[in-house]
Amino acid sequence: MTLEELVREVPELEEYTRYMPKELWHRCSIRVYPPGTIIHQKDYKLDYFGLIARGEHRVINEFQNGNVYMIEKNEPIDFVGE
């Protein structure tokens, strides 16, 4: 799937990609993550910025003492990255 195809399937993405420089447009890749996949883990280096276009994801905070808390549950369109 191309970014153009994804924008056709999820028209709300057009607002986010409308002014994207062509250089970035051509560097984009579409990824599909199965349920339960960790997309990014706290304090690990992140080499990309992501737009969540479909589905939902949870933000979970794990502490050194073993406690795990679900901070929030996000609907699309959302972001991964700083």
Side-chain angles (χ1 to χ4, degrees):
M1 174 179 284
T2 66
L3 185 54
E4 292 89 353
E5 292 169 333
L6 184 60
V7 170
R8 280 194 295 274
E9 285 187 23
V10 184
E12 298 85 6
L13 269 178
E14 196 278 330
E15 182 179 337
Y16 295 89
T17 60
R18 181 180 310 144
Y19 300 110
M20 181 185 293
K22 291 296 177 191
E23 174 186 313
L24 292 179
W25 184 275
H26 295 294
R27 291 179 57 197
C28 290
S29 63
I30 309 298
R31 297 185 184 173
V32 177
Y33 294 99
T37 300
I38 295 174
I39 296 174
H40 176 64
Q41 194 162 353
K42 181 180 175 181
D43 296 330
Y44 281 58
K45 183 179 178 188
L46 186 63
D47 295 322
Y48 57 86
F49 178 83
L51 291 171
I52 311 269
R54 291 190 292 203
E56 59 187 34
H57 67 283
R58 296 179 294 170
V59 177
I60 297 173
N61 201 352
E62 297 181 52
F63 293 92
Q64 288 182 346
N65 64 8
N67 291 336
V68 179
Y69 297 97
M70 185 172 84
I71 306 298
E72 59 188 355
K73 183 175 169 181
N74 297 325
E75 303 281 330
I77 292 175
D78 202 12
F79 307 93
V80 174
E82 293 186 25

